[in-house]
Amino acid sequence: MSHVFKIGIAAQNNKEIKEVNHIDVVANKGVVGDRHFSEFNDPYNQLSLIESENIDQYNISYGLNIPYVNFRRNIVTKGIQLNELVGKTFLIGSVKVEGMDLCRPCRHLTEVLNQDNILKEFLRKGGLRCQILSSSKIKINDEIKV
């Protein structure tokens, strides 16, 4: 079963990501309390996901133990291939979302994690940007249904 493995938010840009057990999401606005929440939010900035398996592979390959939430996505998933969800509508728990685009790794993430190889290693493994289509709560272990 595909599910929510970890959740993280940051109240301000460039600040540490706080790991939480649940988030409240508002359609077309984003994650309540997150740095990207706004009244008229760009669909590409509302919610971000990343696969735990890609983080595990990176940590194993480089002998590291970087925490999942440090990769700066709102939701860390388990058991789903996110690249296949671009352009598709799916559920995270009871929240309806649409996969908008792949998340590309950025120079900021390279600097925050102090890892020069992030851009190369996460080129097509950096996660998924989603538009939030319905308001509700997302919790750890919520099922992801396509």
Side-chain angles (χ1 to χ4, degrees), residues 27 89-98 131-136:
T89 301
F90 58 100
L91 290 172
I92 304 173
S94 64
V95 176
K96 188 176 185 180
V97 301
E98 180 180 355
Q131 180 177 12
I132 300 168
L133 303 176
S134 67
S135 302
S136 191

Side-chain angles (χ1 to χ4, degrees), residues 67-82:
Y68 295 103
V69 296
N70 286 16
F71 283 81
R72 307 194 67 76
R73 304 295 184 249
N74 298 119
I75 295 176
V76 180
T77 65
K78 193 170 270 301
I80 192 162
Q81 294 184 343
L82 297 173

Side-chain angles (χ1 to χ4, degrees), residues 8-19 33-36 69-73 108-109 112:
I9 61 172
Q12 297 175 345
N13 281 329
N14 303 323
K15 297 297 182 187
E16 184 178 339
I17 301 291
K18 178 182 171 191
E19 189 169 337
D34 189 64
R35 65 205 180 277
H36 295 298
V69 296
N70 286 16
F71 283 81
R72 307 194 67 76
R73 304 295 184 249
H108 177 66
L109 186 61
V112 168

